[in-house]
Amino acid sequence: LCLAGLVLAEGRDLVGDATGSDIVQRRMLESPSSYCVPGRSCWPSNADWQVLAESLSQGPSALTALAEESYDVCYEQYTNAIGLMQEGHGACMQDNHCKFEACAGDGLVNLPAYSVAAATVADVQAALEFASTHDLSVSVKTSGHSYAGSSAMKGSLLIWMAEFEKFGTIATHTDSCGTATEQVL
């Protein structure tokens, strides 16, 4: 990766004292996108993100800012597929190389900017409304089995479905003949 000549928006040279996150932010500023991405003036303020966080059914802990460092927990899971689905606020990939663009194994990080752990329909609606209002791209991750990493778009608002009610409510069901059956899904 050649860093010569890249300069952050604040004017700091990326050679020497830059972090990986700095590089990603600079590249995102340069990328042509019809959506708002981190680092642009259109990006939601911390107060905007806080309003979204407080609207979620599980409270502020359901909204997580993702960074390259937040991926470390994913490496700890290695090949544990269940752990990869449950850890990292939806950032973990089945193939850890896919945290990078084109699953290259190095280079620019390809992670969403924020993750919403959606537990209810209202959480999904709140995330989509927020994304629409702020012109953010959205990615959705269900079980996390996109080996190419297509369920986690760089700079997007990730709607992570791991906490979402998956099967419905277990209750008594009465069929058309009037027969009641207990504990039906």
Side-chain angles (χ1 to χ4, degrees):
L1 177 64
C2 178
L3 302 178
L6 289 178
V7 178
L8 287 174
E10 304 94 35
R12 186 170 59 133
D13 191 338
L14 284 178
V15 177
D17 63 342
T19 66
S21 296
D22 294 334
I23 295 166
V24 170
Q25 287 178 350
R26 178 62 179 153
R27 292 284 171 94
M28 290 177 76
L29 286 170
E30 294 172 345
S31 70
S33 173
S34 60
Y35 293 107
C36 184
V37 295
R40 290 190 179 161
S41 61
C42 57
W43 190 250
S45 68
N46 288 338
D48 293 330
W49 288 108
Q50 187 63 35
V51 169
L52 172 61
E54 291 172 1
S55 74
L56 301 172
S57 65
Q58 296 180 343
S61 65
L63 180 69
T64 303
L66 299 174
E68 185 172 2
E69 298 78 29
S70 59
Y71 200 85
D72 290 346
V73 69
C74 305
Y75 287 123
E76 295 169 10
Q77 298 303 316
Y78 190 55
T79 59
N80 175 0
I82 301 299
L84 288 168
M85 285 186 339
Q86 296 171 340
E87 298 294 330
H89 301 280
C92 297
M93 309 285 180
Q94 295 294 321
D95 179 348
N96 286 319
H97 288 101
C98 290
K99 87 168 192 176
F100 300 102
E101 288 184 353
C103 300
D106 60 5
L108 296 177
V109 177
N110 187 40
L111 295 175
Y114 279 84
S115 173
V116 169
T120 66
V121 170
D123 290 344
V124 174
Q125 291 170 329
L128 291 174
E129 182 178 329
F130 185 86
S132 178
T133 298
H134 297 283
D135 199 25
L136 307 178
S137 61
V138 172
S139 52
V140 178
K141 188 172 221 177
T142 54
S143 65
H145 285 88
S146 171
Y147 285 95
S150 60
S151 59
M153 212 171 4
K154 179 171 77 174
S156 68
L157 174 59
L158 171 65
I159 300 175
W160 185 35
M161 303 298 289
E163 301 294 321
F164 197 79
E165 183 180 322
K166 292 170 182 53
F167 305 108
T169 305
I170 297 176
T172 301
H173 172 72
T174 304
D175 65 23
S176 60
C177 298
T179 305
T181 305
E182 298 291 323
Q183 295 193 345
V184 174
L185 181 62

